[in-house]
Amino acid sequence: MTGPSPIRLTLPLTPEAARALKVGDVVLLDGDAVATVGMPTQKRMVAEVEAGRELPLFLRNGTFFHMGVSYEDDGGRPGAVHYVNPTTSSRFNHLMPTLIRGLRLTATGGKGGLSQDSVDAMREVGCVYFSFVGGASALLSEGVEAVTDCAWRDLIMQFRLNRLRLSGFGPVIVAIDANGNSIYERLMSSARERLPEIMRSLRPSQNNETD
C-alpha cells in the first residue's frame, strides 16, 4: 500500500502558500533557494539584517536551507554540482528568529527542527520548515540542477551563500508548519508523557541489580 503522492511546489512560496501546508505533508521542490552550513555566515547575515542592509544574494520573502553545497569552482563562478549535504538546524536556534522575521522567509529547512522561538517567528510571517532525511545526500543532490550564484567568497565553499536551482528536490517533509504546529514538539510531548512509565519499568531491573 502506497501513501499519497508528494505535493509539487515552486520556490519561493508566498506566505499564503506556506500557510496552506500542514505538518506531515510530503513535498517535492522546484525553483530557487539559498543554502549554507556556516555559523560565521549566519552571524554575518544577522549583522546585515540588523543593520538594515540587503544580503549580497537577495533572500527577502525567500527560501533558506541549512545545507552545504560542493561544486566546481569555475574561474570564480559556480560550476557543476558535486553534492549537497544538509546540516542540523538547531545549531542556529539563536540566529534563526532574527533571519525569519528580518527577511520574511517563507520556507527554511535542514535536519532536526528549530526552537520554539523560531516556530513563533514562522507563525508570525508565514514560513514552513522542511525536514531533510539524514543520510540522503545522494537523493537530495539529484534534485539540484545548478548552483546559479554565490556570495562571500572569502569563506570556504560550503560556508558561502549559495543560490541553488532545484527540480524535484526531495522528497522533504513539512515538519513545522506556518500555523505553529511542529512534529518535534509532538514527539517531545509524547516522550514527556511516557517518561514516568519508562522510569517505572526500569526500577525493578535496577533493584534486582542491587540485590
Side-chain angles (χ1 to χ4, degrees), residues 19-180:
R19 292 191 190 281
L21 295 169
K22 304 299 181 187
V23 161
D25 284 345
V26 180
V27 178
L28 292 172
L29 299 172
D30 302 323
D32 290 339
V34 172
T36 186
V37 297
M39 180 67 75
T41 318
Q42 294 188 54
K43 289 180 177 178
R44 191 181 294 186
M45 291 169 70
V46 166
E48 294 297 292
V49 167
E50 290 181 338
R53 294 187 290 264
E54 292 291 346
L55 298 179
L57 297 187
F58 188 76
L59 189 51
R60 194 167 299 279
N61 305 116
T63 303
F64 178 55
F65 290 157
H66 299 132
M67 186 168 71
V69 189
S70 176
Y71 49 87
E72 294 290 331
D73 198 335
D74 187 10
R77 298 289 301 173
V81 179
H82 297 156
Y83 63 85
V84 297
N85 193 27
T87 192
T88 303
S89 297
S90 58
R91 296 169 51 210
F92 313 109
N93 275 336
H94 60 301
L95 303 172
M96 284 303 294
T98 298
L99 295 179
I100 291 166
R101 290 189 177 99
L103 296 169
R104 310 293 294 183
L105 296 177
T106 55
T108 186
K111 297 192 301 185
L114 289 166
S115 67
Q116 187 60 46
D117 288 343
S118 292
V119 175
D120 292 342
M122 293 166 64
R123 184 171 57 243
E124 289 174 23
V125 305
C127 176
V128 296
Y129 177 90
F130 295 119
S131 176
F132 304 157
V133 176
S137 173
L139 177 64
L140 294 175
S141 299
E142 290 177 3
V144 180
E145 284 191 341
V147 179
T148 59
D149 203 357
C150 67
W152 291 337
R153 293 181 57 84
D154 57 304
L155 301 172
I156 64 172
M157 184 176 290
Q158 299 218 0
F159 278 27
R160 297 171 189 167
L161 285 183
N162 294 297
R163 186 178 300 283
L164 313 179
R165 183 187 303 128
L166 307 177
S167 179
F169 181 85
V172 300
I173 298 170
V174 177
I176 305 172
D177 68 26
N179 300 302

